[in-house]
Amino acid sequence: IDLSMTSRPVKRLLTAYKTHTIQLTWDFNQTKDAKSLESFGKELARLLSAYMTVTLTFDNDDEDQNLLFCILENHGVKQDYERTINGVRAPLAMRKRKKRMLFEIAGGEDREVDLKFMEDLTEHIKSIFYIDTYNVSYDLISNFDFFGAFFWKYSGKKFGKLDISPPSDVEFNEDQIRMIFNELEVDDLCLEIESDCELIQGLNLNSKKLKIWNTGYLSIEDVQESKCEKIEITFPGRLNVDRYLIKTINLWKTGKKLSNLKRLKFKRGGWSEEEHEEDKKAFFEKAGNLGIRRHESAKNKCYINRDTDKAVALLAYNGDIFKMIVQNDNDEAEEKDDDDSDDSDEEEESEDEEE
C-alpha cells in the first residue's frame, strides 16, 4: 500500500487489479498523553496516543498483520518521504514504522483537516482493495459530529461492529436512538450513551451481539423480542424478578421468543446487599414453578429445558447479575471463565460497600 502512495503506475495497477478483500475500521478516540503511556514502551505509547485511526484487517486471524494509519496529536512526526493520497500530495506528514505495519501521521492542529485526511485515505484504500465490512469505534472523543461524519457515505447503514461511547456530556435524542436500532444493520453493537429519554418502545434488537450500558431508554419487552444471539445489558436500577427474569426465561422455555439466544447477561445498577438477597431468594422460589433443576454443586445456579426441542439453558443469579447460557460442548469452560470474573467483581463491590 505504501507504493500506491508513492508511485502513480503502482496505484493505477492496484486500482485495476484489486488483490485483497479487507475489513476497514475507523476509530475516533479520546486523546491520551503519550508520556503517561510510556510504561508500555515508547513505540506502543505512540500508537495508543493516536486519536483517530484507520485500520485495515486482512483475511486472517493474526492482529499483528493489521495495517494501521494512526493520526496523532503530535506535530513532531518526522516525515520519511512525501506521499500522495488519490494523486494529491498528503497534507499531513507521514512516517512508516519499520517494526510494525503502522503509519504515524502528524495531526492535531486542525480537526477538520485531520478528518478530511481520514476521508481521503479511506477513498484511496477503497480504490485498491475490496472492502466487505466497515467498523466504527466512537470512544470519548469530544466535539465530534457522529451522525454527520464522512464514514456514512461508505458504510451506508451496515456495519460489522459499531461501538459508541461518547463523552458523558453528549446526549442522544429519541430519533437518534431509534435510528441506531431500527435503521442500521449491525452484527456487533456496543452502546454506552447518555440520554434523557424515558422508555422508548418499539426498538428492534437484531444484532448478533449486543452490549449496552445506561439503558434507561430500553424496555425489557423489546429485549424479550430480540433476535440477538448474545446479549449483555446493564440496567440503571433494580431488576424486577417477575418482569425481567422469570418472564424472560419462560418466553425462551416455551419457544415463543428468544429462539436465537445463546448467551444472556443482565446486570442491575447500584448496590444493596439486602436487595440482592431478597431478589435471589424470590427468583429461585419462582423459578421452581418453571421446572428448573438445581445445579449439582453451585447454589446460585440451575438448569431448565426448552419445551420445543429440549435445549438446555444454565441459569445463574446472585441478586446482582443474571446469566442464561444455552449450553453446547464449549460452555463449561466459558461458564467457568465468566463466573471467575463475576466473583471478582462481587468481591470488589462488597469491599467498597464495607469501606
Side-chain angles (χ1 to χ4, degrees), residues 43 46 95-100 102-104:
E43 184 175 341
R46 283 193 295 269
R95 177 175 60 179
K96 187 176 186 299
R97 305 297 300 178
K98 293 181 179 179
K99 295 182 180 180
R100 300 179 63 93
L102 168 68
F103 289 86
E104 290 180 346

Side-chain angles (χ1 to χ4, degrees), residues 64 70 76 90 158 168 176 180 234 255 286 318 331-332 339 354:
D64 289 338
C70 299
K158 186 174 182 179
S168 58
Q176 292 169 335
I180 291 171
T234 300
K286 295 179 179 184
N318 61 7
D331 280 333
E332 185 175 352
D339 290 342
E354 290 172 2

Side-chain angles (χ1 to χ4, degrees), residues 25-26 47 56 59 66 68 76 87 130 139 168 173 177 180 184 194 197 212 215 230 244 261 306 311 316 319 348:
T25 302
W26 298 284
L47 171 61
L56 280 58
D59 189 19
N66 288 354
L68 290 83
Y130 296 107
D139 183 16
S168 58
N173 61 39
I177 293 172
I180 291 171
L184 302 185
E194 299 290 339
C197 298
I212 313 180
T215 51
K230 297 183 179 181
Y244 283 70
L261 186 66
R306 185 158 54 192
E348 290 177 5

Side-chain angles (χ1 to χ4, degrees), residues 161-180:
K161 182 169 184 176
L162 183 59
D163 190 339
I164 305 175
S165 180
S168 58
D169 61 348
V170 175
E171 290 194 349
F172 281 45
N173 61 39
E174 180 173 340
D175 289 342
Q176 292 169 335
I177 293 172
R178 284 192 182 278
M179 182 264 199
I180 291 171

